[in-house]
Amino acid sequence: MKVIIGEASAKGLRIGIAISRFNDLFTRNLLAGALETLERHGANPDDISVVWVPGAFELPSVLRPMAVSKSYDALIALGVVIQGSTGHAGIINGQVAASIAQIAADTGVPVIDGVIGAQTTEQAMERSGGKQGNRGSSVAETAIEMANVLKKLSGGHL
Ligand code: INI
Protein backbone atom coordinates (compact mmCIF):
# COMPACT_ATOMS: atom_id res chain seq x y z
CA MET A 1 0.00 0.00 0.00
CA LYS A 2 1.22 3.45 -0.85
CA VAL A 3 0.25 6.24 1.52
CA ILE A 4 1.10 9.77 0.42
CA ILE A 5 0.96 12.54 2.98
CA GLY A 6 2.10 16.15 2.77
CA GLU A 7 4.60 17.06 5.49
CA ALA A 8 4.04 19.93 7.88
CA SER A 9 7.27 21.73 6.93
CA ALA A 10 6.99 25.04 5.08
CA LYS A 11 10.71 25.21 4.32
CA GLY A 12 11.24 26.43 0.77
CA LEU A 13 7.51 26.84 0.08
CA ARG A 14 6.31 29.92 -1.81
CA ILE A 15 2.98 31.03 -0.38
CA GLY A 16 0.65 33.73 -1.72
CA ILE A 17 -1.98 35.29 0.52
CA ALA A 18 -4.93 37.32 -0.80
CA ILE A 19 -6.65 39.29 1.93
CA SER A 20 -9.71 41.52 2.12
CA ARG A 21 -9.60 45.00 3.70
CA PHE A 22 -13.35 44.84 4.49
CA ASN A 23 -13.65 43.97 8.21
CA ASP A 24 -9.90 44.48 8.54
CA LEU A 25 -10.26 44.62 12.30
CA PHE A 26 -10.62 40.83 11.94
CA THR A 27 -8.76 40.07 8.72
CA ARG A 28 -5.54 41.56 10.14
CA ASN A 29 -5.75 38.96 12.94
CA LEU A 30 -6.23 36.21 10.35
CA LEU A 31 -3.13 37.45 8.52
CA ALA A 32 -1.09 37.57 11.73
CA GLY A 33 -2.16 33.99 12.52
CA ALA A 34 -1.33 32.77 9.02
CA LEU A 35 2.12 34.44 8.98
CA GLU A 36 2.99 33.20 12.46
CA THR A 37 2.06 29.63 11.51
CA LEU A 38 3.91 29.71 8.18
CA GLU A 39 7.07 31.05 9.78
CA ARG A 40 6.85 28.66 12.77
CA HIS A 41 6.78 25.80 10.22
CA GLY A 42 9.93 27.09 8.53
CA ALA A 43 8.70 29.38 5.75
CA ASN A 44 11.05 32.17 4.72
CA PRO A 45 9.27 35.57 4.94
CA ASP A 46 10.87 36.46 1.58
CA ASP A 47 8.88 33.58 0.02
CA ILE A 48 5.51 34.95 1.22
CA SER A 49 3.51 37.52 -0.77
CA VAL A 50 0.46 39.34 0.61
CA VAL A 51 -2.03 40.97 -1.78
CA TRP A 52 -4.76 43.25 -0.37
CA VAL A 53 -8.16 43.68 -2.06
CA PRO A 54 -11.18 45.83 -1.06
CA GLY A 55 -13.62 43.04 -0.14
CA ALA A 56 -14.00 39.27 -0.08
CA PHE A 57 -15.80 39.39 -3.42
CA GLU A 58 -12.57 40.63 -5.06
CA LEU A 59 -10.40 37.79 -3.72
CA PRO A 60 -10.82 35.51 -6.78
CA SER A 61 -9.82 38.39 -9.11
CA VAL A 62 -6.29 38.34 -7.70
CA LEU A 63 -6.11 34.64 -6.83
CA ARG A 64 -6.55 33.55 -10.45
CA PRO A 65 -3.58 35.52 -11.86
CA MET A 66 -1.52 34.49 -8.83
CA ALA A 67 -2.33 30.83 -9.51
CA VAL A 68 -1.74 31.14 -13.26
CA SER A 69 1.68 32.72 -12.62
CA LYS A 70 2.88 29.40 -11.12
CA SER A 71 4.94 31.51 -8.70
CA TYR A 72 3.32 29.92 -5.64
CA ASP A 73 3.16 26.42 -4.18
CA ALA A 74 -0.12 27.31 -2.44
CA LEU A 75 -2.48 30.25 -2.12
CA ILE A 76 -4.58 31.34 0.84
CA ALA A 77 -7.72 33.52 0.75
CA LEU A 78 -8.48 35.51 3.91
CA GLY A 79 -11.68 37.45 4.48
CA VAL A 80 -14.55 37.96 6.89
CA VAL A 81 -18.15 38.18 5.70
CA ILE A 82 -20.68 39.06 8.39
CA GLN A 83 -24.31 38.17 7.70
CA GLY A 84 -25.70 40.93 9.85
CA SER A 85 -23.99 43.67 7.85
CA THR A 86 -25.40 42.91 4.39
CA GLY A 87 -28.25 41.13 2.70
CA HIS A 88 -25.93 39.53 0.20
CA ALA A 89 -23.36 38.03 2.60
CA GLY A 90 -24.47 34.49 1.73
CA ILE A 91 -24.11 35.24 -1.97
CA ILE A 92 -20.62 36.67 -1.48
CA ASN A 93 -19.52 33.63 0.55
CA GLY A 94 -20.91 31.08 -1.88
CA GLN A 95 -19.52 32.89 -4.90
CA VAL A 96 -16.05 33.24 -3.40
CA ALA A 97 -15.93 29.59 -2.31
CA ALA A 98 -17.04 28.38 -5.77
CA SER A 99 -14.53 30.63 -7.54
CA ILE A 100 -11.70 29.51 -5.29
CA ALA A 101 -12.49 25.85 -5.98
CA GLN A 102 -12.64 26.59 -9.72
CA ILE A 103 -9.26 28.37 -9.70
CA ALA A 104 -7.66 25.44 -7.88
CA ALA A 105 -9.23 22.95 -10.31
CA ASP A 106 -8.25 24.98 -13.39
CA THR A 107 -4.63 25.60 -12.39
CA GLY A 108 -3.62 22.68 -10.14
CA VAL A 109 -2.44 25.16 -7.51
CA PRO A 110 -4.02 24.58 -4.09
CA VAL A 111 -6.14 27.56 -3.08
CA ILE A 112 -7.23 27.41 0.56
CA ASP A 113 -10.46 29.08 1.63
CA GLY A 114 -9.88 31.08 4.81
CA VAL A 115 -12.93 33.29 4.41
CA ILE A 116 -14.98 33.33 7.61
CA GLY A 117 -18.75 33.43 7.18
CA ALA A 118 -20.07 34.74 10.50
CA GLN A 119 -23.58 35.58 11.67
CA THR A 120 -22.36 38.30 14.02
CA THR A 121 -19.26 40.34 14.83
CA GLU A 122 -18.90 38.27 18.01
CA GLN A 123 -18.65 35.09 15.93
CA ALA A 124 -16.13 36.76 13.63
CA MET A 125 -14.05 37.72 16.65
CA GLU A 126 -14.17 34.20 18.09
CA ARG A 127 -12.85 32.68 14.85
CA SER A 128 -10.15 35.25 14.12
CA GLY A 129 -8.03 34.76 17.22
CA GLY A 130 -10.71 34.43 19.91
CA LYS A 131 -11.96 31.42 21.81
CA GLN A 132 -12.50 29.32 18.68
CA GLY A 133 -8.93 29.82 17.53
CA ASN A 134 -7.56 31.63 14.50
CA ARG A 135 -8.75 30.46 11.09
CA GLY A 136 -5.76 32.17 9.50
CA SER A 137 -3.51 29.81 11.39
CA SER A 138 -5.48 26.65 10.55
CA VAL A 139 -5.71 27.47 6.83
CA ALA A 140 -1.95 28.13 6.79
CA GLU A 141 -1.44 24.56 8.04
CA THR A 142 -3.80 23.32 5.32
CA ALA A 143 -1.84 25.28 2.70
CA ILE A 144 1.47 23.76 3.85
CA GLU A 145 0.12 20.21 3.74
CA MET A 146 -1.52 20.69 0.34
CA ALA A 147 1.59 22.31 -1.18
CA ASN A 148 3.71 19.38 0.01
CA VAL A 149 1.31 16.63 -1.05
CA LEU A 150 0.93 18.15 -4.52
CA LYS A 151 4.70 18.48 -4.86
CA LYS A 152 4.95 14.75 -4.14
CA LEU A 153 2.26 13.88 -6.70
CA SER A 154 3.81 16.04 -9.39
CA GLY A 155 7.19 14.51 -8.55
CA GLY A 156 5.85 11.15 -9.67
CA HIS A 157 4.97 9.63 -6.26
CA LEU A 158 1.71 8.28 -7.68
N1 INI B 1 -17.02 42.27 1.91
C1 INI B 1 -16.45 41.52 2.90
O1 INI B 1 -15.29 41.09 2.76
N2 INI B 1 -17.15 41.24 4.02
C2 INI B 1 -18.43 41.69 4.22
O2 INI B 1 -19.01 41.40 5.31
C3 INI B 1 -19.03 42.47 3.21
N3 INI B 1 -20.36 42.97 3.40
O3 INI B 1 -20.94 42.77 4.47
O4 INI B 1 -20.95 43.60 2.51
C4 INI B 1 -18.29 42.73 2.03
N4 INI B 1 -18.83 43.47 1.02
C5 INI B 1 -18.03 44.03 -0.02
C6 INI B 1 -17.79 43.06 -1.16
O5 INI B 1 -16.87 42.06 -0.79
C7 INI B 1 -17.22 43.80 -2.38
O6 INI B 1 -16.02 44.45 -2.03
C8 INI B 1 -18.20 44.83 -2.96
O7 INI B 1 -19.47 44.24 -3.17
C9 INI B 1 -17.64 45.38 -4.30
O8 INI B 1 -17.57 44.33 -5.27
Side-chain angles (χ1 to χ4, degrees):
M1 182 174 64
K2 216 175 229 184
V3 178
I4 303 165
I5 297 175
E7 275 82 31
S9 169
K11 266 201 178 65
L13 294 182
R14 302 160 306 160
I15 306 289
I17 300 174
I19 178 167
S20 153
R21 207 177 306 110
F22 205 105
N23 289 324
D24 74 332
L25 188 66
F26 305 118
T27 62
R28 284 180 193 279
N29 287 346
L30 296 178
L31 179 61
L35 293 176
E36 190 274 328
T37 298
L38 290 171
E39 289 172 31
R40 186 161 40 83
H41 285 79
N44 182 342
D46 291 341
D47 293 334
I48 302 172
S49 301
V50 178
V51 180
W52 286 88
V53 296
F57 192 76
E58 283 70 43
L59 290 168
S61 303
V62 297
L63 286 165
R64 183 172 286 279
M66 289 171 86
V68 168
S69 76
K70 299 286 177 199
S71 300
Y72 304 99
D73 298 305
L75 295 170
I76 297 170
L78 297 178
V80 173
V81 182
I82 301 175
Q83 290 286 347
S85 55
T86 176
H88 68 300
I91 299 171
I92 295 176
N93 263 348
Q95 190 57 49
V96 171
S99 299
I100 285 175
Q102 192 63 51
I103 293 164
D106 289 349
T107 62
V109 178
V111 187
I112 313 304
D113 185 359
V115 178
I116 291 175
Q119 299 295 326
T120 60
T121 51
E122 285 72 24
Q123 264 185 10
M125 204 181 309
E126 283 173 6
R127 297 175 192 170
S128 56
K131 65 182 177 199
Q132 285 194 44
N134 186 321
R135 189 157 162 79
S137 173
S138 59
V139 293
E141 287 176 355
T142 305
I144 293 167
E145 180 172 349
M146 286 305 295
N148 285 327
V149 79
L150 281 169
K151 272 191 178 208
K152 280 191 181 172
L153 294 179
S154 64
H157 290 72
L158 284 170

